[in-house]
Amino acid sequence: MALIVQKFGGSSVKDRNRIFNVARIVANTHKAGNDVVVVVSAQGDTTDDLIAKAAEITHNPSAREMDMLLAAGEEISIALLAMALNELGCHATSLTGWQAGFRTDRAYTKARITRMETERISSELERNRVVVVAGFQGLNKLDDITTLGRGGSDTSAVAIAAALHADRCQIYTDVEGVYTADPRKVRNTRKLEEITFDEMLELASLGAQVLNNRSVELAKKYNVELEVLSSLNPVPGTVVKEVTKDMEGMLIKGVAKDTDVAVITILNVPDEPGTSFKIFGLLAQKNINVDIILQSTGRDGKKDISFTCAEGEAETAMRVLKESGKFKDATCDETCAKVSIVGAGMQSHSGVASKMFEALSNNNINIRMISTSEIKISCIIARDDADKAVSAIHDMLFD
Amino acid sequence: MALIVQKFGGSSVKDRNRIFNVARIVANTHKAGNDVVVVVSAQGDTTDDLIAKAAEITHNPSAREMDMLLAAGEEISIALLAMALNELGCHATSLTGWQAGFRTDRAYTKARITRMETERISSELERNRVVVVAGFQGLNKLDDITTLGRGGSDTSAVAIAAALHADRCQIYTDVEGVYTADPRKVRNTRKLEEITFDEMLELASLGAQVLNNRSVELAKKYNVELEVLSSLNPVPGTVVKEVTKDMEGMLIKGVAKDTDVAVITILNVPDEPGTSFKIFGLLAQKNINVDIILQSTGRDGKKDISFTCAEGEAETAMRVLKESGKFKDATCDETCAKVSIVGAGMQSHSGVASKMFEALSNNNINIRMISTSEIKISCIIARDDADKAVSAIHDMLFD
């Protein structure tokens, strides 16, 4: 008998039929002899509807009240799912975030989990109940309701799995697993059987959008084996774990793109110690996350520095640089994208990078910046070329 | 500076405009130098919508899950009202039932309040916050959410007022106060300035439907001064209290009708000790509430007994009597109504009863049963005559 945590997103419980679909998956898992904790998000558009209600009242809602409002969404979905499970003869108890023991810090709308008090969940499991837990929400030290922010329900599921030492945490989505590229945009993509936490983190931050990064980080930290799978199609999904089987010819796990990229270039900065610190210190003060940094070779005591950041932060970055007085010669290009290939151990295979560059070259796509790590290679290119680039690289590596 | 509890029902917060209307009333009360605790119900149709969602899932929902589901309704309305108050510059904190300290017994869907833990409300008031509390809900000893059943939000408001020793508990409704009869059906009705708890209890149980009986009982028990008033029309309402001013010519406080009445008559029961006990003991075992009892004078060792109960309980009552074997000669008339006049001290004014009978007689309305108490006189009549009877009695007493 195993302990399995299953997480279902809002679209999986959006109406009566979908709720019963989820209930059947859960009931079958329970019937097979497993203890089951289910984490659910708010139904379909509920969260958006609640946000719209708040927007009618004020453009600047208190974060505390926003969390109170949004937490109602999951209370509805957990009660309905518990009723559906009971209707199928599978005894279930719903628990809000605070009842399930999620204790968080005080950062309303983006709280972090500080502690799990698992007594209530454990006692319900001991009574042979399926426990249906409201994802996305917790309780802070003031006894106020908090929400965990984007991807919060995934994080809730992983946190429960970690605290209860669950055998597996299954994240049900509307795709069947993690693919070598976005199947809606690239032909001949393959579903991965397994992927490491690190690879998944790179793919997530590169825009693959299957799993929220925060939940993967948590899973890696507590070594919680994740499975990404479909709630509509009952086939095995992709397992995310610490070490994966060495699969022949499967060095590369995926090709991803991120179109939310701006490149800022500062020309003619002094080629002397401390320049980079000054620039990136200024940006850090404004909480601007810099991704790739490229620095030209110095000449005549001057050099050029380029870096990328999210498009939404580019304007602030430019203002900070201009106001500093020292880095006025800055330009910003907001028409960029990043394409990346991810795979553990690929750095020891020199052919991989050259294949990526060959694919881009064959399609006449110019590479503006290159960044490499142990498990990925990223290229900054023009945004208009992004989809073509992903397909070309995927064809070159996987066909 | 006073401490005032204000309660607003679902229709008072049904949309953005109504929420701001409520927020202005609350903010003005606070600005006038009072501490304010506001109790709100779920918005407009929210509760009905949630019940409909549950009905899609099952015809027999678990009571515990039903309470989890329904409690979400008030969480939405308290957050929105707190946002609106903040928007008006009036600092507010919303609290769920459990955060506000409502502790209840385990009777899901119809829980009774066992205790109030007022620390959180008090500390928010000390910070000069308006406290917006979710009505209708609490927490039981299992740490499960419960709801208080019909009229629960009124009861919540009175419980807070009692626990905090509030100076007044204002119940805002869609009428301006308590009237001498239903203003929609009877002409020349008058709004009462004051009414006693006992009179209000009689009027409520007689079908006047302004205040829930349970909340009036609680107010009487803890001597909480209630005011019933309109959220849309800012005029003084009706104050409900222990002792009212003696108002000249205002002996009668109201005329009410209750059309949910069945009369059961048992002919030829033995005129001996224990007969009544046998009959009403049988009915009590089935939780049937008997209202008026009439017994004929015995003759030839036999007598007749008539009693009234709610129409929905008449069928069970008849079955119990027939199955007993002893009281087979029972008939049931489900076309009855009760009209009543209520007023403390009217028993010492003999003219009142005769005026009531005169009004009925003038309109050719037959009286089947009469019941009197210190503060009311009730007559059982044919249901078709009920509206005419109320108008006739009201005309006779108030014109």
Side-chain angles (χ1 to χ4, degrees):
Chain A
M1 191 171 98
L3 170 55
I4 296 178
V5 176
Q6 301 185 314
K7 181 258 168 180
F8 297 89
S11 62
S12 296
V13 291
K14 71 175 179 182
D15 57 28
R16 180 200 174 279
N17 289 344
R18 288 291 187 91
I19 289 172
F20 270 105
N21 174 57
V22 167
R24 278 186 292 270
I25 293 172
V26 174
N28 286 338
T29 310
H30 189 248
K31 211 179 288 175
N34 301 295
D35 280 343
V36 187
V37 178
V38 193
V39 176
V40 279
S41 308
Q43 288 187 286
D45 300 327
T46 304
T47 304
D48 288 342
D49 291 347
L50 291 173
I51 290 171
K53 271 177 185 278
E56 280 183 12
I57 302 284
T58 172
H59 295 302
N60 187 27
S62 133
R64 179 192 183 278
E65 297 303 334
M66 206 63 203
D67 282 356
M68 175 70 89
L69 180 69
L70 294 184
E74 290 85 29
E75 286 191 30
I76 294 168
S77 55
I78 56 172
L80 294 176
L81 180 56
M83 287 177 192
L85 283 163
N86 288 333
E87 186 73 6
L88 296 181
C90 177
H91 295 298
T93 303
S94 70
L95 298 177
T96 64
W98 67 266
Q99 287 175 324
F102 286 91
R103 301 294 172 260
T104 76
D105 60 18
R106 288 175 57 167
Y108 298 106
T109 74
K110 47 176 191 282
R112 298 194 76 87
I113 300 166
T114 51
R115 201 160 39 95
M116 284 295 304
E117 294 176 355
T118 57
E119 293 80 4
R120 178 69 190 266
I121 293 182
S122 297
S123 79
E124 295 292 341
L125 290 175
E126 274 163 28
R127 294 167 60 210
N128 199 28
R129 296 258 164 175
V130 166
V131 187
V132 182
V133 175
F136 181 67
Q137 55 181 246
L139 194 71
N140 68 18
K141 279 197 176 171
L142 303 173
D143 270 1
D144 281 348
I145 292 168
T146 53
T147 66
L148 307 181
R150 278 191 69 174
S153 291
D154 285 2
T155 307
S156 300
V158 175
I160 289 177
L164 296 176
H165 306 289
D167 296 278
R168 182 167 284 189
C169 180
Q170 296 182 314
I171 309 286
Y172 284 84
T173 69
D174 48 4
V175 297
E176 285 174 22
V178 182
Y179 284 77
T180 51
D182 186 340
R184 289 165 302 186
K185 295 195 173 167
V186 179
R187 64 196 174 89
N188 293 331
T189 55
R190 300 175 199 179
K191 186 168 68 182
L192 300 169
E193 204 177 310
E194 296 186 338
I195 187 171
T196 67
F197 292 124
D198 288 333
E199 289 169 336
M200 191 67 232
L201 281 170
E202 290 290 356
L203 279 174
S205 66
L206 296 173
Q209 292 182 334
V210 182
L211 275 177
N212 180 271
N213 245 16
R214 201 169 145 198
S215 58
V216 182
E217 279 164 12
L218 197 64
K220 176 177 156 70
K221 184 172 174 185
Y222 292 99
N223 202 13
V224 172
E225 198 169 296
L226 296 177
E227 183 177 9
V228 178
L229 66 180
S230 164
S231 60
L232 296 175
N233 196 0
V235 295
T238 300
V239 176
V240 191
K241 56 202 288 197
E242 187 61 44
V243 180
T244 56
K245 288 179 288 187
D246 195 14
M247 292 165 70
E248 194 70 33
M250 201 58 176
L251 219 76
I252 305 300
K253 294 294 170 58
V255 184
K257 68 162 182 175
D258 180 1
T259 54
D260 182 17
V261 177
V263 174
I264 293 178
T265 304
I266 318 171
L267 298 175
N268 300 315
V269 298
D271 184 16
E272 60 190 26
T275 298
S276 291
F277 169 71
K278 280 176 197 154
I279 292 173
F280 297 108
L282 282 171
L283 298 173
Q285 279 171 20
K286 295 287 178 184
N287 286 318
I288 293 166
N289 285 311
V290 170
D291 182 15
I292 301 175
I293 298 173
L294 189 78
Q295 183 173 302
S296 70
T297 310
R299 180 189 297 190
D300 302 333
K302 301 281 186 187
K303 63 184 175 185
D304 305 334
I305 289 182
S306 296
F307 64 88
T308 66
C309 65
E311 203 180 334
E313 296 182 335
E315 196 184 321
T316 311
M318 286 297 285
R319 197 176 59 241
V320 169
L321 293 171
K322 303 231 160 177
E323 285 171 358
S324 74
K326 289 176 192 155
F327 309 111
K328 287 181 184 170
D329 206 357
T331 55
C332 178
D333 181 355
E334 299 188 349
T335 64
C336 302
K338 180 168 69 171
V339 292
S340 308
I341 56 176
V342 172
M346 73 181 181
Q347 250 197 349
S348 56
H349 289 67
S350 56
V352 172
S354 71
K355 276 192 175 174
M356 183 183 190
F357 303 150
E358 183 186 349
L360 295 175
S361 167
N362 288 347
N363 284 272
N364 210 23
I365 296 168
N366 189 37
I367 302 173
R368 297 196 40 177
M369 296 166 86
I370 297 170
S371 164
T372 63
S373 80
E374 269 186 43
I375 64 165
K376 73 159 185 181
I377 304 174
S378 297
C379 296
I380 300 296
I381 60 173
R383 194 172 298 168
D384 289 345
D385 290 333
D387 284 335
K388 188 170 62 171
V390 170
S391 285
I393 296 166
H394 193 272
D395 282 351
M396 179 67 79
L397 292 171
F398 290 96
D399 262 10
Chain B
M1 191 171 96
L3 170 55
I4 296 178
V5 176
Q6 301 184 313
K7 181 261 169 178
F8 297 90
S11 62
S12 296
V13 292
K14 70 174 180 182
D15 57 28
R16 180 198 175 281
N17 290 343
R18 288 289 186 90
I19 289 173
F20 270 105
N21 174 58
V22 167
R24 278 186 292 271
I25 293 172
V26 174
N28 287 338
T29 310
H30 188 247
K31 211 179 286 173
N34 301 295
D35 280 342
V36 186
V37 179
V38 193
V39 176
V40 278
S41 308
Q43 288 187 285
D45 300 326
T46 303
T47 303
D48 288 341
D49 291 347
L50 291 173
I51 290 171
K53 271 177 186 278
E56 280 183 13
I57 301 284
T58 172
H59 295 301
N60 187 26
S62 130
R64 179 192 183 277
E65 298 303 334
M66 206 63 203
D67 281 357
M68 174 70 89
L69 180 70
L70 294 184
E74 289 85 29
E75 285 191 32
I76 294 169
S77 56
I78 56 173
L80 294 175
L81 179 56
M83 287 178 192
L85 283 163
N86 288 333
E87 186 73 6
L88 296 181
C90 176
H91 295 299
T93 303
S94 70
L95 298 177
T96 63
W98 66 266
Q99 287 175 324
F102 286 92
R103 301 293 172 261
T104 76
D105 61 18
R106 287 175 58 167
Y108 299 106
T109 75
K110 47 177 191 280
R112 298 196 78 88
I113 300 167
T114 52
R115 199 160 41 95
M116 284 294 305
E117 296 177 354
T118 57
E119 294 80 4
R120 180 68 190 266
I121 293 181
S122 297
S123 79
E124 296 291 341
L125 290 175
E126 274 164 29
R127 294 166 61 211
N128 199 29
R129 297 258 164 175
V130 166
V131 186
V132 183
V133 175
F136 181 66
Q137 54 181 246
L139 195 70
N140 68 18
K141 278 197 175 170
L142 303 173
D143 269 2
D144 281 347
I145 291 168
T146 52
T147 66
L148 307 182
R150 278 192 70 174
S153 291
D154 286 2
T155 307
S156 300
V158 175
I160 289 178
L164 296 176
H165 307 288
D167 296 277
R168 182 166 285 189
C169 179
Q170 297 182 314
I171 309 287
Y172 284 86
T173 68
D174 49 3
V175 297
E176 285 174 23
V178 181
Y179 284 78
T180 49
D182 186 341
R184 290 164 301 186
K185 296 197 172 166
V186 179
R187 64 197 174 89
N188 293 331
T189 55
R190 300 177 198 176
K191 186 168 69 183
L192 300 170
E193 203 176 312
E194 294 185 338
I195 186 171
T196 67
F197 293 123
D198 288 332
E199 289 169 335
M200 191 67 231
L201 281 171
E202 290 290 357
L203 279 174
S205 67
L206 297 173
Q209 292 183 335
V210 180
L211 275 177
N212 180 272
N213 246 16
R214 198 168 146 199
S215 59
V216 181
E217 279 164 12
L218 197 64
K220 176 177 157 70
K221 183 172 175 184
Y222 292 100
N223 200 14
V224 172
E225 198 169 297
L226 295 177
E227 183 178 7
V228 178
L229 66 182
S230 163
S231 60
L232 296 173
N233 196 1
V235 295
T238 300
V239 175
V240 190
K241 56 204 289 195
E242 188 60 46
V243 180
T244 57
K245 287 179 287 188
D246 195 15
M247 291 166 70
E248 194 70 33
M250 201 56 173
L251 219 77
I252 304 301
K253 295 294 170 60
V255 183
K257 68 162 182 176
D258 180 2
T259 54
D260 181 17
V261 177
V263 174
I264 292 177
T265 304
I266 318 171
L267 299 175
N268 300 316
V269 299
D271 184 15
E272 61 191 25
T275 300
S276 292
F277 170 71
K278 280 176 198 153
I279 293 174
F280 297 108
L282 282 171
L283 298 172
Q285 279 170 21
K286 296 287 179 184
N287 286 315
I288 294 166
N289 284 311
V290 170
D291 183 16
I292 300 176
I293 298 173
L294 190 76
Q295 184 175 302
S296 70
T297 310
R299 181 188 297 188
D300 301 333
K302 299 281 184 186
K303 63 184 175 186
D304 305 334
I305 289 184
S306 296
F307 62 89
T308 67
C309 64
E311 203 180 335
E313 295 180 337
E315 197 185 319
T316 311
M318 286 296 285
R319 199 178 56 242
V320 169
L321 293 171
K322 304 231 161 178
E323 285 171 358
S324 75
K326 291 177 192 154
F327 310 111
K328 287 180 183 171
D329 207 358
T331 55
C332 178
D333 180 355
E334 298 189 348
T335 63
C336 303
K338 180 169 67 171
V339 291
S340 309
I341 57 175
V342 172
M346 72 180 182
Q347 252 200 344
S348 56
H349 289 67
S350 56
V352 173
S354 70
K355 276 193 176 175
M356 184 182 188
F357 303 149
E358 182 184 352
L360 295 175
S361 166
N362 288 347
N363 284 273
N364 210 23
I365 296 168
N366 189 38
I367 302 172
R368 296 196 40 177
M369 297 166 86
I370 297 171
S371 162
T372 62
S373 80
E374 269 187 41
I375 64 167
K376 73 159 185 185
I377 303 174
S378 298
C379 296
I380 301 295
I381 59 173
R383 195 171 297 167
D384 289 344
D385 290 332
D387 284 334
K388 189 170 62 170
V390 170
S391 286
I393 297 166
H394 193 272
D395 282 352
M396 179 69 76
L397 292 170
F398 290 97
D399 261 10

